[in-house]
Amino acid sequence: MTRKSGDAGRSTIRDVAARAGVSASTVSRVLGGVYPVSASTRSRVQRAVRDLDYVADARAKAVAGVGTPTLAFVLEDITGPSFAHMAYGVEREARRLGHLCLVCTTEGDVQHEVEFVEMMRAQRAAAVILVGGSADTPEYRERTRRMADSLASAGSRLVLCGRPPLGPGAPVTVIEYDNEGGAYALVAHVLTQGHRRVLFLGGGADHTTAQGRERGYLAAHRARGLDPDPALLRHGDFTRDSGHRLMRQALKEGLDFTAVVAATDMVAAGALTALHEAGLEVPGDVSLAGYDDIPFARDLHPALTTVHVPYEELGRLAVRTALGRTPDHPDEHLLLGTHVVVRDSVGALAE
């Protein structure tokens, strides 16, 4: 009687061996594909695997060093469009190179992140890619350095995408984009349109990605001899609801501004809704810009001026770099460029 994988007596490698009339080690050779086996023997084993609906134990295969090589992609929240595009790049490049891609969302739980990385070390994952900004604290550097050393000792690699680097000598690959430069160029564009009261809807004050974009905002003003009003700097998070809330608060306070720069396109979308609810036109009454250039930015009304970040390429590059590293380069730090995409949401300030 053929046993199915859902039955209490799930088929084992010994069952497959008995059905095929070979040893268990021969079954392992066939399934692993790393030793030569005669065509007739391979055919008998494969038929027995199908008949018994046998599924190999992934943990056992990892210990044996066979099976599909694995990459892990770790992020706080996969629902964010920018992270979703990076995950797409990672998965496609991993598949192209013959690797299985596992995705883990931590929801900000540091311990969950550490436990998952250790699990990937035990599974001999080729690389673990950590994505997204973080508070750059001594605790972060110590914890991440331990993870990097642990993975390196198992022949794996830690890749940081958009996260703070750990300093020289750490066995990590760091992939970044010009976060501050993108914000500088965007705010410079807004200022060239005559705006001087530019409201900035930022992220968390201790978040490294948010800090970089805020630095770009400040640097663009100071390069033109301007000192922005501290009241124009608002902190929240990178969500649509944060943009909506911060925009409503600024309007309720009667804050004086003619343009808004949002830390992400999602924040800009929430701000746009709040402006429309208040009866204000964009860009007729208030100009608005975002950051990330996620696909729906061009479909807003008006289409959103923003900063393009090559998220999919970041994901692809993270995989290629991690898998193509050499012992001569224990640490690598790569920087991708960004650029402003001018659409319809920023207009010249009327005289």
Side-chain angles (χ1 to χ4, degrees):
M1 177 180 177
T2 300
R3 279 188 273 183
K4 298 298 183 182
S5 58
D7 295 342
R10 193 177 76 174
S11 298
T12 68
I13 195 169
R14 291 182 177 83
D15 296 326
V16 174
R19 173 66 70 96
V22 299
S23 67
S25 61
T26 298
V27 175
S28 294
R29 293 189 184 103
V30 171
L31 296 179
V34 293
Y35 293 99
V37 177
S38 70
S40 61
T41 298
R42 182 179 301 278
S43 177
R44 292 204 311 276
V45 170
Q46 290 174 338
R47 187 182 308 113
V49 166
R50 289 194 301 271
D51 289 346
L52 296 175
D53 197 18
Y54 173 72
V55 179
D57 188 330
R59 290 171 297 180
K61 293 179 76 175
V63 171
V66 300
T68 304
T70 303
L71 286 166
F73 182 73
V74 186
L75 68 168
E76 183 174 329
D77 179 11
I78 202 170
T79 62
S82 57
F83 287 156
H85 277 80
M86 191 181 297
Y88 179 73
V90 168
E91 195 280 330
R92 289 199 67 182
E93 190 67 12
R95 177 155 40 93
R96 186 183 73 83
L97 296 174
H99 284 61
L100 176 67
C101 182
L102 301 179
V103 178
C104 172
T105 56
T106 66
E107 298 181 351
D109 186 336
V110 171
Q111 187 57 36
H112 183 38
E113 178 179 282
V114 172
E115 290 170 354
F116 183 76
V117 170
E118 186 58 30
M119 183 189 305
M120 290 300 96
R121 176 185 179 276
Q123 294 285 344
R124 297 187 182 181
V128 176
I129 302 170
L130 300 184
V131 177
S134 173
D136 191 4
T137 63
E139 291 78 16
Y140 159 81
R141 288 175 178 263
E142 180 183 354
R143 179 179 70 250
T144 308
R145 179 61 186 255
R146 284 200 305 268
M147 289 192 290
D149 289 339
S150 176
L151 288 169
S153 70
S156 184
R157 183 71 167 181
L158 183 66
V159 183
L160 305 178
C161 273
R163 287 205 176 192
L166 303 181
V172 298
T173 295
V174 179
I175 312 286
E176 293 188 287
Y177 57 89
D178 192 0
N179 189 36
E180 181 176 339
Y184 179 98
L186 179 66
V187 176
H189 170 69
V190 173
L191 294 174
T192 61
Q193 301 304 304
H195 298 279
R196 293 297 178 265
R197 300 280 300 177
V198 181
L199 175 63
F200 183 75
L201 305 182
D206 64 345
H207 191 279
T208 52
T209 302
Q211 290 170 347
R213 295 179 187 184
E214 185 173 320
R215 286 196 303 271
Y217 166 89
L218 294 172
H221 280 81
R222 290 165 183 163
R224 289 156 181 76
L226 303 173
D227 190 14
D229 183 350
L232 293 171
L233 286 167
R234 303 295 171 107
H235 296 108
D237 56 44
F238 284 166
T239 64
R240 177 265 177 204
D241 288 346
S242 177
H244 186 259
R245 182 181 68 255
L246 293 175
M247 190 75 259
R248 290 188 64 183
Q249 289 174 350
L251 293 170
K252 183 178 180 180
E253 294 170 12
L255 191 63
D256 177 27
F257 59 90
T258 63
V260 180
V261 170
T264 70
D265 292 344
M266 294 298 292
V267 173
L272 180 62
T273 298
L275 289 167
H276 285 165
E277 289 171 349
L280 297 172
E281 294 295 326
V282 176
D285 298 313
V286 179
S287 286
L288 175 67
Y291 202 117
D292 287 334
D293 194 25
I294 58 179
F296 84 74
R298 72 193 72 173
D299 296 321
L300 294 175
H301 183 70
L304 188 66
T305 291
T306 184
V307 175
H308 177 77
V309 180
Y311 284 112
E312 185 176 334
E313 179 56 24
L314 276 167
R316 291 178 181 272
L317 185 61
V319 174
R320 289 198 301 269
T321 306
L323 298 183
R325 70 187 188 279
T326 64
D328 296 333
H329 297 85
D331 59 337
E332 297 168 294
H333 194 153
L334 305 177
L335 180 69
L336 297 185
T338 55
H339 63 269
V340 176
V341 180
V342 177
R343 297 195 179 104
D344 304 325
S345 63
V346 174
L349 183 65
E351 297 292 339

